[in-house]
Amino acid sequence: MRHLQVEALTKTYGDMNAVDDVTLEIEAQEFLVLLGPSGCGKSTLLRCIAGLEEIDAGTIRIGGADVTDRKPKDRNISMVFQNYAVFPHLTVAKNIAFGLERQKKGRQEIAERVRSAAELLHIEDLLHRQPNSLSGGQRQRVAVARAIAYDADLLLMDEPLSNLDALLRLEMRAELKRLVSEIKATVIYVTHDQTEALSMGDRVAVMERGRIVQLGAPIEIYNDPASTFVAGFIGNPPMNLLPGRVLAEGTGVEVAGEGRIGAVPPASKPGDQVTAGIRAENIAVADTSGTWSIPGRVFVVEPLGSHNIITVDAGGELIRVSVGADHAAVVGGDVYLTVPPEKVRWLS
Amino acid sequence: MRPRQGLLGWLVTIGRYLAAGLVSAFILGPIVVIAYLAFAPEETVYLFPKPLAPADFAFSTETMSTFVTATGTLDALWTSIRVALLTLVLALVIGAPAGYALARHPFRGKDVYRLGIVATRAFPIVILAVPLITYYLRWGLDDTVWGVAFLHTAMALPTTVLVTSAVFIGVSEELEAAAMTMGCSRFGAFRRVALPLALPGLAASSIFTFVLSWNEVFGAAVLTLQNPTLPALVVVQLNQSPVPIRFAGGFFLLAPALIFMLIVRRYLFNLWGVKLK
């Protein structure tokens, strides 16, 4: 499998840019996730790459060849759809063989590819069933088996797990990730679920209003969000965003009423308005005040088994803090939050 | 209060069934009488009161066979079949692509277009008849199978377009997209995926067209002279026929429509979102 280059791709509906000047490169065998809220253009971008949507500007190259003006069937891609798109009038085996027959593969090869794809997805027993007798999870497996059986350079997945129930989704997530690395496929995977994106992708492209606002390894995106949008979208809970002002001494920032954190953005002057982004797990809770602490009152405690999330009301700002499961926080109790300076991110 | 409410409820229920029964009887009554007298011996038709008990019923195909073997009946039957089949094919070939386009492509004024399609049916054929026959005479289409089929196609198209568009809406676009990502062209995807899945619905639409053409009287009577369709023949000739033959003719026309209703009932209800078990 070879790589994909998308250059300055724009797709408009009426006067709205569904995909706005997107440039993107993917290495062979890479797993790239397009992540964003609904309506951000991620599915449209995927459909443009597949050739299912005509684009208004830009070029698309797959494996070095310019496929911009090619029909989907001539792009050497395969795709998994949100609603599975398993053909109801064909058996499971015929579904998986569908594309291979169009590719004019020999009988022997088709049988071999169908069998191995079915084995990888553990659906050997379903091969002669009709799709309407299958469960949603089984149909999903058929759809994935069909896509990987097809001889393609690029595997596109459009929210393939979003119609499964939570438990099944978790199971399929791990299985898909393993499967894709096993068959060494190059994948573009669209999702609105940030957990899915972080857990599966080699790289994640976060999209907002038709543009890629950040592209990087999951851990980079998690630790260093490029904007308040990314910070607020990624992570569970999302990053705390605290607007503040650089102190007169220039040694720290005043946030959340009387709170002070001992870090300043590079190249800032006293009095500058800034926004500090702090992850819930990077905040410590203390009972006594210090020079660099944020006083507040416990607003709500949410025990999650493995850890607790406590929400602290600090001068009107709600700050979420992740603490151990044994942490005894009392609703209404006074607390002081401290943040290691190196864990503070500055956002604009 | 409670017992009165119960009583009221009962009355409403009884009234509802009574109304439904009356409507059914109103429609079924003539059908039953026609069927009954079409297969009764000639004497029974003139008998009054008629022997309604099944035990007294003497089954006879005499009037039926007289009607069928009468001059022109079989020719008219053959003409009707040809006209209906031709109409079916024409309506499907012209109407189904339009229905597909309506189902798949959003365009400005789509709803107006839909309404316009239905509105064409509001135009009375009576007004059309004279200019139509004038042009048919000029083009040599009068008194031909093609001529009647063209008129019937025009009459059937609105329904064909709307019904087939409903059928294609029922076939997910994602399925065609999936086929296109697996080696199919736009048309290939339609042929291999959308068409097989739409086939039952298209069949229902075709039968509807067939029966519409089969039952159409006015246009066929105006446009034909020597080669009438069956309804045209029946309308023109039965007025001069003895009463038993009229019943036979009536039943002959009625039967295909009834059979059609039984077959497509389910599909038609499906289109309107009602599921019959």
XYZ file of all heavy atoms in Angstrom, chain A residues 209-286:
553
model
N -14.767 23.346 11.158
C -15.328 24.126 10.046
C -14.550 23.957 8.734
O -14.155 24.929 8.098
C -15.418 25.601 10.434
C -16.716 25.875 11.223
C -16.889 27.322 11.552
N -16.525 27.604 12.930
C -15.768 28.607 13.310
N -15.251 29.421 12.416
N -15.520 28.800 14.582
N -14.345 22.704 8.363
C -13.754 22.431 7.053
C -12.240 22.505 6.985
O -11.652 22.250 5.944
N -11.595 22.887 8.102
C -10.141 23.004 8.098
C -9.530 22.035 9.090
O -10.142 21.701 10.096
C -9.718 24.423 8.503
C -9.972 25.446 7.440
C -9.727 26.829 7.995
N -9.769 27.815 6.931
C -8.725 28.114 6.163
N -7.552 27.551 6.382
N -8.847 28.992 5.195
N -8.288 21.628 8.796
C -7.550 20.842 9.774
C -6.877 21.835 10.710
O -6.038 22.627 10.282
C -6.507 19.937 9.094
C -7.234 18.853 8.299
C -5.584 19.302 10.132
C -6.326 17.909 7.559
N -7.249 21.830 12.000
C -6.694 22.816 12.913
C -5.483 22.275 13.659
O -4.690 23.035 14.177
C -7.755 23.336 13.912
C -8.749 24.238 13.197
C -8.469 22.202 14.608
N -5.375 20.950 13.713
C -4.161 20.382 14.301
C -3.960 18.977 13.779
O -4.907 18.211 13.627
C -4.239 20.359 15.833
C -2.896 19.999 16.464
C -2.877 20.164 17.972
O -3.928 20.384 18.588
N -1.708 20.050 18.581
N -2.707 18.645 13.509
C -2.387 17.325 12.978
C -1.151 16.832 13.704
O -0.119 17.489 13.704
C -2.107 17.435 11.467
C -1.633 16.196 10.732
C -2.672 15.099 10.795
C -1.321 16.537 9.284
N -1.271 15.694 14.362
C -0.117 15.186 15.087
C -0.414 13.858 15.752
O -1.518 13.320 15.626
N 0.585 13.328 16.452
C 0.396 12.091 17.189
C -0.645 12.341 18.287
O -0.762 13.459 18.788
C 1.720 11.642 17.793
N -1.394 11.300 18.650
C -2.445 11.478 19.672
C -1.943 12.148 20.941
O -2.593 13.053 21.461
C -2.900 10.042 19.940
C -2.616 9.306 18.692
C -1.396 9.945 18.095
N -0.753 11.756 21.395
C -0.265 12.280 22.666
C 0.079 13.774 22.550
O -0.132 14.547 23.479
C 0.935 11.443 23.186
C 1.210 11.747 24.654
C 2.169 11.624 22.333
C 0.125 11.240 25.574
N 0.577 14.177 21.360
C 0.855 15.597 21.112
C -0.417 16.422 21.185
O -0.463 17.500 21.768
C 1.395 15.777 19.689
C 2.890 15.645 19.520
C 3.220 15.655 18.033
O 2.796 16.596 17.329
O 3.864 14.686 17.603
N -1.445 15.878 20.533
C -2.707 16.603 20.492
C -3.319 16.690 21.880
O -3.889 17.709 22.272
C -3.661 15.915 19.492
C -3.108 16.144 18.104
C -5.086 16.414 19.654
C -3.989 15.781 16.989
N -3.115 15.624 22.642
C -3.660 15.606 23.997
C -2.895 16.584 24.893
O -3.483 17.377 25.623
C -3.568 14.186 24.557
C -4.186 14.034 25.920
C -5.557 13.835 26.057
C -3.407 14.102 27.078
C -6.136 13.708 27.301
C -3.973 13.985 28.329
C -5.345 13.781 28.443
O -5.908 13.662 29.670
N -1.586 16.557 24.803
C -0.778 17.384 25.698
C -0.640 18.831 25.245
O -0.581 19.729 26.066
C 0.644 16.795 25.832
C 0.638 15.593 26.749
O -0.274 15.433 27.573
N 1.625 14.720 26.596
N -0.562 19.028 23.940
C -0.330 20.377 23.426
C -1.378 20.785 22.412
O -1.078 20.934 21.223
C 1.052 20.459 22.749
C 2.151 20.557 23.772
O 2.040 21.420 24.659
O 3.095 19.754 23.674
N -2.622 20.952 22.831
C -3.649 21.356 21.865
C -3.297 22.702 21.248
O -2.803 23.586 21.932
C -4.930 21.433 22.698
C -4.479 21.519 24.114
C -3.146 20.848 24.198
N -3.537 22.820 19.953
C -3.115 24.024 19.237
C -4.066 25.191 19.472
O -3.719 26.328 19.226
C -3.027 23.717 17.741
N -5.282 24.903 19.887
C -6.242 25.991 20.074
C -7.210 25.625 21.197
O -7.246 24.480 21.653
C -7.030 26.224 18.780
O -7.848 25.102 18.516
N -7.983 26.617 21.619
C -8.968 26.330 22.661
C -10.003 25.330 22.155
O -10.538 24.544 22.917
C -9.706 27.620 23.085
O -10.233 28.240 21.923
C -8.776 28.578 23.792
N -10.264 25.341 20.837
C -11.204 24.389 20.272
C -10.722 22.953 20.477
O -11.448 22.095 20.972
C -11.412 24.660 18.774
C -12.170 23.575 18.078
C -13.557 23.499 18.185
C -11.502 22.605 17.340
C -14.266 22.482 17.567
C -12.203 21.585 16.714
C -13.590 21.523 16.826
N -9.469 22.710 20.125
C -8.913 21.361 20.280
C -8.869 20.988 21.761
O -9.235 19.875 22.145
C -7.505 21.266 19.652
C -6.933 19.867 19.834
C -7.563 21.629 18.173
N -8.439 21.944 22.593
C -8.339 21.684 24.030
C -9.701 21.309 24.609
O -9.816 20.445 25.474
C -7.784 22.913 24.747
N -10.743 21.961 24.134
C -12.070 21.711 24.656
C -12.708 20.470 24.079
O -13.707 19.973 24.583
N -12.136 19.951 22.975
C -12.734 18.813 22.306
C -12.085 17.511 22.722
O -12.724 16.465 22.801
C -12.616 19.020 20.791
C -13.426 18.052 19.987
C -14.815 18.123 19.989
C -12.814 17.058 19.246
C -15.571 17.227 19.261
C -13.569 16.162 18.505
C -14.952 16.247 18.517
N -10.774 17.562 22.998
C -10.013 16.351 23.271
C -9.892 16.128 24.775
O -9.667 17.060 25.538
C -8.584 16.467 22.686
C -8.626 16.797 21.211
C -7.773 15.211 22.958
C -8.912 15.662 20.302
N -9.997 14.874 25.163
C -9.823 14.501 26.562
C -11.157 14.358 27.265
O -12.143 14.983 26.893
N -11.166 13.499 28.249
C -12.373 13.299 29.027
C -12.012 13.318 30.499
O -11.476 12.370 31.004
C -13.011 11.958 28.647
C -14.368 11.800 29.286
O -14.952 12.754 29.765
N -14.841 10.575 29.316
N -12.252 14.378 31.251
C -12.896 15.615 30.809
C -11.965 16.433 29.919
O -10.765 16.218 29.938
C -13.138 16.352 32.132
C -12.080 15.844 33.041
C -11.857 14.418 32.663
N -12.533 17.368 29.146
C -11.669 18.229 28.326
C -10.793 19.113 29.202
O -11.004 19.237 30.404
C -12.659 19.067 27.521
C -13.977 18.914 28.164
C -13.960 17.657 28.970
N -9.786 19.705 28.559
C -8.839 20.565 29.280
C -9.560 21.754 29.932
O -10.481 22.320 29.362
C -7.821 21.080 28.262
C -6.569 21.647 28.853
S -5.399 22.023 27.516
C -3.998 21.042 27.985
N -9.128 22.103 31.143
C -9.660 23.312 31.784
C -9.057 24.537 31.116
O -7.838 24.600 30.927
C -9.277 23.341 33.273
C -9.955 22.240 34.050
O -11.176 22.209 34.173
N -9.146 21.314 34.572
N -9.903 25.471 30.729
C -9.411 26.684 30.077
C -9.669 27.863 31.001
O -10.815 28.186 31.296
C -10.125 26.893 28.737
C -9.885 25.793 27.694
C -10.740 26.019 26.473
C -8.409 25.728 27.328
N -8.581 28.493 31.495
C -8.739 29.575 32.452
C -8.201 30.887 31.881
O -6.988 31.037 31.688
C -7.982 29.232 33.743
C -8.383 27.907 34.397
C -7.478 27.616 35.591
C -9.842 27.914 34.824
N -9.091 31.842 31.611
C -8.622 33.143 31.170
C -7.969 33.867 32.349
O -8.427 33.733 33.497
C -9.904 33.858 30.731
C -11.050 33.044 31.214
C -10.547 31.737 31.735
N -6.908 34.596 32.110
C -6.226 35.276 33.218
C -5.404 36.464 32.729
O -5.450 36.814 31.554
N -4.664 37.051 33.661
C -3.883 38.242 33.349
C -2.498 38.080 33.954
O -2.345 37.619 35.094
C -4.584 39.474 33.952
C -4.157 40.828 33.380
C -5.150 41.906 33.824
N -5.465 41.792 35.251
C -4.685 42.264 36.208
N -3.574 42.917 35.920
N -5.034 42.113 37.478
N -1.457 38.435 33.191
C -0.084 38.313 33.692
C 0.118 39.321 34.821
O -0.226 40.495 34.696
C 0.936 38.558 32.558
C 2.360 38.485 33.094
C 0.721 37.549 31.428
N 0.660 38.826 35.961
C 0.843 39.673 37.147
C 1.877 40.768 36.884
O 2.734 40.638 36.004
C 1.321 38.810 38.318
C 0.282 37.822 38.867
C 0.953 36.812 39.789
C -0.848 38.555 39.563
N 1.784 41.813 37.699
C 2.664 42.975 37.540
C 4.133 42.590 37.624
O 4.979 43.123 36.891
C 2.332 44.022 38.596
N 4.447 41.616 38.497
C 5.851 41.209 38.639
C 6.322 40.395 37.442
O 7.518 40.155 37.258
C 6.052 40.358 39.913
C 5.447 40.953 41.187
C 3.998 40.570 41.377
O 3.744 39.434 41.818
O 3.115 41.378 41.057
N 5.352 39.867 36.651
C 5.723 39.064 35.476
C 6.162 37.670 35.820
O 6.792 36.997 35.010
N 5.857 37.205 37.013
C 6.304 35.874 37.421
C 5.194 34.832 37.374
O 5.440 33.649 37.518
C 6.843 35.907 38.853
O 5.850 36.547 39.666
C 8.142 36.662 38.930
N 3.979 35.283 37.224
C 2.856 34.345 37.219
C 1.636 34.973 36.605
O 1.673 36.086 36.083
N 0.546 34.211 36.660
C -0.698 34.675 36.054
C -1.825 34.567 37.070
O -1.906 33.588 37.816
C -1.041 33.840 34.800
C -2.426 34.177 34.274
C 0.005 34.041 33.709
N -2.672 35.578 37.078
C -3.813 35.575 37.978
C -5.010 35.001 37.229
O -5.383 35.487 36.164
C -4.102 37.005 38.418
C -5.164 37.090 39.492
C -5.387 38.543 39.916
O -5.668 39.379 39.030
O -5.266 38.813 41.114
N -5.581 33.919 37.777
C -6.734 33.289 37.122
C -7.839 33.043 38.128
O -7.608 33.043 39.347
C -6.341 31.928 36.483
C -5.388 32.113 35.333
C -5.787 30.978 37.528
N -9.035 32.801 37.644
C -10.156 32.344 38.459
C -10.275 33.116 39.766
O -10.141 32.564 40.855
C -10.028 30.835 38.736
N -10.493 34.404 39.663
C -10.634 35.241 40.849
C -9.297 35.487 41.492
O -8.438 36.156 40.912
N -9.054 34.873 42.679
C -7.815 35.146 43.398
C -6.739 34.099 43.170
O -5.736 34.054 43.880
C -8.134 35.253 44.894
C -9.001 36.468 45.197
C -9.641 36.366 46.579
O -9.192 35.519 47.384
O -10.602 37.121 46.816
N -6.974 33.212 42.188
C -5.996 32.144 41.947
C -4.740 32.653 41.273
O -4.773 33.629 40.520
N -3.619 31.982 41.579
C -2.358 32.369 40.952
C -1.651 31.110 40.498
O -1.552 30.144 41.255
C -1.460 33.083 41.973
C -1.869 34.528 42.220
C -1.424 34.963 43.596
N -1.482 36.416 43.703
C -0.398 37.202 43.637
N 0.799 36.680 43.508
N -0.531 38.516 43.723
N -1.160 31.116 39.266
C -0.320 30.006 38.839
C 1.067 30.528 38.496
O 1.217 31.603 37.931
C -0.923 29.218 37.651
C -1.483 30.148 36.579
C -2.023 28.289 38.129
C -2.156 29.424 35.440
N 2.064 29.732 38.855
C 3.452 30.198 38.779
C 4.092 29.994 37.431
O 5.188 29.470 37.317
N 3.423 30.349 36.375
C 4.011 30.235 35.043
C 3.475 31.367 34.189
O 2.373 31.847 34.413
C 3.651 28.893 34.415
N 4.272 31.802 33.206
C 3.808 32.838 32.280
C 4.099 32.392 30.846
O 5.038 31.640 30.615
C 4.503 34.197 32.523
C 3.973 34.860 33.768
C 6.020 34.025 32.576
N 3.280 32.844 29.894
C 3.560 32.511 28.489
C 4.867 33.145 28.081
O 5.219 34.218 28.585
C 2.398 33.157 27.728
C 1.389 33.535 28.745
C 2.088 33.699 30.039
N 5.619 32.506 27.168
C 6.850 33.117 26.676
C 6.534 34.460 25.999
O 5.487 34.608 25.373
C 7.378 32.094 25.657
C 6.226 31.175 25.364
C 5.341 31.201 26.549
N 7.438 35.412 26.172
C 7.314 36.734 25.534
C 6.029 37.439 25.888
O 5.334 37.963 25.032
C 7.459 36.607 24.008
N 5.679 37.409 27.177
C 4.478 38.142 27.592
C 4.872 39.295 28.498
O 5.919 39.269 29.148
C 3.523 37.205 28.329
O 4.143 36.706 29.498
N 4.033 40.319 28.523
C 4.308 41.478 29.357
C 3.298 41.494 30.498
O 2.213 40.933 30.354
C 4.154 42.761 28.537
C 5.043 42.825 27.298
C 4.918 44.167 26.615
C 3.518 44.458 26.134
N 3.075 43.529 25.070
N 3.637 42.136 31.609
C 2.668 42.269 32.702
C 1.390 42.899 32.170
O 1.427 43.808 31.352
C 3.378 43.193 33.691
C 4.830 42.973 33.424
C 4.947 42.687 31.970
N 0.238 42.369 32.620
C -1.047 42.927 32.221
C -1.650 42.261 30.999
O -2.819 42.472 30.686
N -0.867 41.409 30.279
C -1.404 40.722 29.092
C -2.551 39.786 29.477
O -2.502 39.114 30.511
C -0.306 39.885 28.420
C 0.607 40.753 27.561
O 0.318 41.958 27.461
O 1.586 40.205 27.007
N -3.580 39.748 28.599
C -4.665 38.792 28.788
C -4.240 37.462 28.151
O -3.852 37.435 26.989
C -5.949 39.289 28.112
C -6.497 40.608 28.648
C -7.077 40.485 30.042
O -7.549 39.413 30.432
N -7.035 41.561 30.809
N -4.307 36.372 28.931
C -3.886 35.066 28.410
C -4.907 33.997 28.805
O -5.776 34.237 29.639
C -2.495 34.667 28.954
C -1.422 35.620 28.458
C -2.517 34.619 30.479
N -4.811 32.843 28.154
C -5.658 31.710 28.543
C -4.769 30.517 28.880
O -3.943 30.095 28.067
C -6.627 31.326 27.402
O -7.437 32.463 27.101
C -7.514 30.172 27.818
N -4.925 29.994 30.076
C -4.148 28.841 30.522
C -4.978 27.585 30.342
O -6.150 27.542 30.713
C -3.761 29.006 31.982
N -4.363 26.581 29.741
C -5.034 25.290 29.602
C -4.373 24.280 30.518
O -3.163 24.096 30.468
N -5.189 23.646 31.354
C -4.614 22.699 32.320
C -5.449 21.428 32.334
O -6.674 21.474 32.495
C -4.597 23.296 33.742
C -3.949 24.699 33.737
C -3.838 22.381 34.699
C -4.323 25.530 34.942
N -4.810 20.283 32.141
C -5.497 18.996 32.184
C -5.912 18.659 33.616
O -5.194 18.969 34.579
C -4.578 17.889 31.668
C -4.365 17.951 30.176
C -5.422 17.147 29.457
N -5.369 17.329 28.024
C -6.442 17.364 27.239
N -7.658 17.255 27.780
N -6.333 17.502 25.953
N -7.040 17.986 33.757
C -7.590 17.655 35.070
C -6.617 16.848 35.922
O -6.537 17.031 37.136
C -8.895 16.875 34.899
N -5.845 15.959 35.257
C -4.945 15.094 36.037
C -3.659 15.803 36.435
O -2.857 15.261 37.187
C -4.627 13.805 35.262
C -3.843 14.017 33.965
C -4.759 14.233 32.770
O -5.901 14.683 32.968
O -4.313 13.959 31.639
N -3.444 17.046 35.942
C -2.232 17.785 36.289
C -2.466 18.782 37.419
O -1.622 19.608 37.700
C -1.693 18.519 35.054
C -1.184 17.541 34.017
O -0.782 16.422 34.360
N -1.232 17.944 32.765
N -3.620 18.708 38.032
C -3.920 19.629 39.122
C -3.899 18.840 40.432
O -4.447 17.745 40.508
C -5.311 20.265 38.925
C -5.374 21.005 37.574
C -5.632 21.216 40.080
C -6.737 21.554 37.241
N -3.227 19.396 41.429
C -3.207 18.751 42.743
C -4.132 19.513 43.688
O -4.308 20.726 43.555
C -1.784 18.738 43.294
N -4.715 18.789 44.616
C -5.632 19.420 45.559
C -4.962 19.475 46.928
O -4.443 18.469 47.417
C -6.938 18.610 45.667
C -7.906 19.273 46.631
C -7.574 18.461 44.293
N -4.920 20.664 47.529
C -4.332 20.805 48.863
C -5.342 21.451 49.806
O -6.307 22.075 49.351
C -3.072 21.664 48.780
